[in-house]
Amino acid sequence: MSLPGLTRQSIFLDRLSFLMDAQVKPTHDEEHRMPMIDADGCLLNVSVEGRDGGPTLMLSNSLGCGLQMWEPQMAALTQLFRVVRYDRRGHGKSSVPSGPYSIERFGRDVLAILDDLNIKKVHWCGLSMGGMVGQWLGANAPDRFDRIILSNTACYYPDPTNWLNRIKAVKQGGIASVADAVIGNWLTADFREREPQIAANMKAMLIASPVQGYLACCEALSTLDQRELLPKIKSPTLVIAGRHDVSTPVAAGEFIRSQIPGASLTILDAAHISNVEQSHAFTDAVVGFLTQR
């Protein structure tokens, strides 16, 4: 589905700039719109927008991103769905409890949000780490999820070295010390040159992440292995991969698709944060999958 007259990149640029400023001075309206939900003592920042009475879609962020990463999709998605976004524990405006964290813990946080909002069942769209949480949820809470989208994600890291190196670098130099390398994985060089302000805003969002929360998430990912969960996912599932994604390559998406019964795969001409780099194609893929009969 395409929305005529909307330039989603410009919408993203304007709204992301606003939200980056709002992290410093949040408005009363924004605070009223975003309830804090308690998940076993961790306060989670949650946003609910969109179509009252419509089907509910929950969006889940990448590591190092806040809920504002989904701005390119919001204009379209809120016309069709009630959209729930949240900051994962250790990120954004949510609390930063001491570790260790785990994918199961992240999944139970999601269920706490749904319970608090009295939502029985949702569609799920998670990117990167959000896709990993979606795998756990699809296998362990199947009655709470209708259709599932797993984007730019993996189910298994055979070698933890890259994560351990990143943890060491962040402990020594903060997130800023790895930011350029991370952004280089998130967005292709061509996109960064074409849209330098969007790239700069994404980098600012990354650097603003609480260090302790970021480290605890990295530690959880260093031992990721959810291969045995995939065949247990019975929901209709779409896997999205980025052709230029070196963080979670197409092969990782192809493996996930092959292990989930009936899953399909869409490949976008993007690096890791495909919903930003190919916002039109990503939104069309999501809407098409979620509204098909």
Side-chain angles (χ1 to χ4, degrees), residues 124-138:
W124 176 268
C125 179
L127 190 146
S128 191
M129 199 168 178
M132 299 165 192
V133 177
Q135 295 164 37
W136 187 90
L137 290 166

Side-chain angles (χ1 to χ4, degrees), residues 13-92:
L13 179 56
D14 292 341
R15 295 189 70 180
L16 182 53
S17 295
F18 169 77
L19 285 164
M20 293 302 295
D21 292 339
Q23 287 186 345
V24 180
K25 294 182 179 180
T27 66
H28 172 76
D29 288 343
E30 185 189 17
E31 286 298 303
H32 181 72
R33 187 172 56 82
M34 296 187 176
M36 299 293 281
I37 290 178
D38 189 323
D40 293 333
C42 177
L43 293 179
L44 299 174
N45 181 43
V46 178
S47 168
V48 182
E49 300 173 73
R51 180 182 160 196
D52 289 338
T56 302
L57 168 62
M58 194 165 190
L59 303 175
S60 186
N61 318 330
S62 174
L63 171 69
C65 291
L67 56 79
Q68 64 265 43
M69 72 169 281
W70 298 103
E71 287 302 328
Q73 281 67 55
M74 292 303 289
L77 295 181
T78 53
Q79 292 188 20
L80 297 168
F81 306 101
R82 176 169 57 162
V83 180
V84 178
R85 294 183 289 172
Y86 71 103
D87 287 330
R88 182 175 294 110
R89 66 170 55 213
H91 279 68

Side-chain angles (χ1 to χ4, degrees), residues 103 124 128-141 148-156 224-227 229-230 232-233 237 252 256 260:
I103 299 296
W124 176 268
S128 191
M129 199 168 178
M132 299 165 192
V133 177
Q135 295 164 37
W136 187 90
L137 290 166
N140 289 284
I148 293 175
I149 299 171
L150 308 174
S151 179
N152 298 83
T153 194
C155 63
Y156 171 56
L224 180 74
D225 187 354
Q226 299 193 132
R227 290 175 290 181
L229 293 184
L230 300 180
K232 300 177 182 179
I233 299 173
T237 301
I256 293 171
I260 297 176

Side-chain angles (χ1 to χ4, degrees), residues 45-251:
N45 181 43
V46 178
S47 168
V48 182
E49 300 173 73
R51 180 182 160 196
D52 289 338
T56 302
L57 168 62
M58 194 165 190
L59 303 175
S60 186
N61 318 330
S62 174
L63 171 69
C65 291
L67 56 79
Q68 64 265 43
M69 72 169 281
W70 298 103
E71 287 302 328
Q73 281 67 55
M74 292 303 289
L77 295 181
T78 53
Q79 292 188 20
L80 297 168
F81 306 101
R82 176 169 57 162
V83 180
V84 178
R85 294 183 289 172
Y86 71 103
D87 287 330
R88 182 175 294 110
R89 66 170 55 213
H91 279 68
K93 295 178 183 176
S94 291
S95 300
V96 188
S98 58
Y101 297 176
S102 67
I103 299 296
E104 178 179 354
R105 177 65 267 173
F106 299 135
R108 295 195 180 281
D109 288 347
V110 169
L111 298 177
I113 292 171
L114 296 181
D115 289 345
D116 189 273
L117 296 176
N118 196 28
I119 299 174
K120 293 182 178 180
K121 198 166 191 176
V122 297
H123 297 308
W124 176 268
C125 179
L127 190 146
S128 191
M129 199 168 178
M132 299 165 192
V133 177
Q135 295 164 37
W136 187 90
L137 290 166
N140 289 284
D143 58 320
R144 306 300 295 273
F145 297 90
D146 190 349
R147 290 176 177 264
I148 293 175
I149 299 171
L150 308 174
S151 179
N152 298 83
T153 194
C155 63
Y156 171 56
Y157 289 112
D159 184 355
T161 301
N162 287 342
W163 288 113
L164 299 179
N165 288 342
R166 187 181 298 189
I167 290 167
K168 181 179 179 181
V170 171
K171 284 182 176 178
Q172 292 176 345
I175 296 175
S177 67
V178 301
D180 286 338
V182 171
I183 294 298
N185 289 336
W186 279 7
L187 305 166
T188 62
D190 179 67
F191 182 85
R192 298 195 309 271
E193 292 169 5
R194 191 169 69 249
E195 299 285 358
Q197 190 59 58
I198 294 178
N201 287 345
M202 295 293 290
K203 182 178 178 180
M205 178 171 56
L206 170 66
I207 293 174
S209 300
V211 173
Q212 293 307 313
Y214 186 86
L215 287 170
C217 287
C218 289
E219 288 165 358
L221 295 181
S222 71
T223 58
L224 180 74
D225 187 354
Q226 299 193 132
R227 290 175 290 181
E228 292 185 0
L229 293 184
L230 300 180
K232 300 177 182 179
I233 299 173
K234 305 305 181 185
S235 298
T237 301
L238 171 66
V239 180
I240 298 176
R243 194 178 310 280
H244 311 290
D245 189 346
V246 297
S247 299
T248 52
V250 171

Side-chain angles (χ1 to χ4, degrees), residues 73 127 151-152 186-187 240-242 268 270-279 282:
Q73 281 67 55
L127 190 146
S151 179
N152 298 83
W186 279 7
L187 305 166
I240 298 176
L268 301 181
H272 191 54
I273 309 294
S274 64
N275 76 299
V276 171
E277 181 154 358
Q278 289 290 339
S279 60
F282 186 96

